[in-house]
């Protein structure tokens, strides 16, 4: 992110899961530490670089609504 900011290079984030929005429970404290770190990192990334490519329309809609970013759906072949 620092290099992209320094050089003025846009970052396009590819998202293929809805992990950010999952409401899972766990007995492991490491799960919550990892989830906290992941969500904060993703928020920082998408607040500075606002382009997303997602794997399906639902993810495209959810992320563009949450982060107010430009997004496109590109479905990949399974």
């Amino acid at each position: 992110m620092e290099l992209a900011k320094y050089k003025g290079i846009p970052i396009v984030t590819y998202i293929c899961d809805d992990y950010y929005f999952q409401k899972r429970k766990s007995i492991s404290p490491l799960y919550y530490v990892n989830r906290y770190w992941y969500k904060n990192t993703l928020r920082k990334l998408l607040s500075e670089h606002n382009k997303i490519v997602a794997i399906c329309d639902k993810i495209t809609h959810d992320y563009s609504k949450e982060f107010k970013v430009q997004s496109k759906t590109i479905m990949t072949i399974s």
Side-chain angles (χ1 to χ4, degrees), residues 24-54:
R24 229 176 75 182
K25 300 220 187 268
S26 176
I27 60 171
S28 170
L30 293 177
Y31 168 79
Y32 294 101
V33 169
N34 182 57
R35 183 162 171 79
Y36 176 80
W37 174 83
Y38 173 79
K39 288 181 89 167
N40 282 341
T41 303
L42 190 60
R43 273 189 222 112
K44 183 177 178 183
L45 175 68
L46 295 178
S47 71
E48 294 181 19
H49 309 284
N50 54 0
K51 305 246 187 301
I52 292 177
V53 174

Side-chain angles (χ1 to χ4, degrees), residues 66-77:
E66 177 76 16
F67 295 104
K68 313 288 190 273
V69 296
Q70 295 176 0
S71 57
K72 292 284 183 189
T73 301
I74 297 178
M75 295 183 185
T76 56
I77 298 172

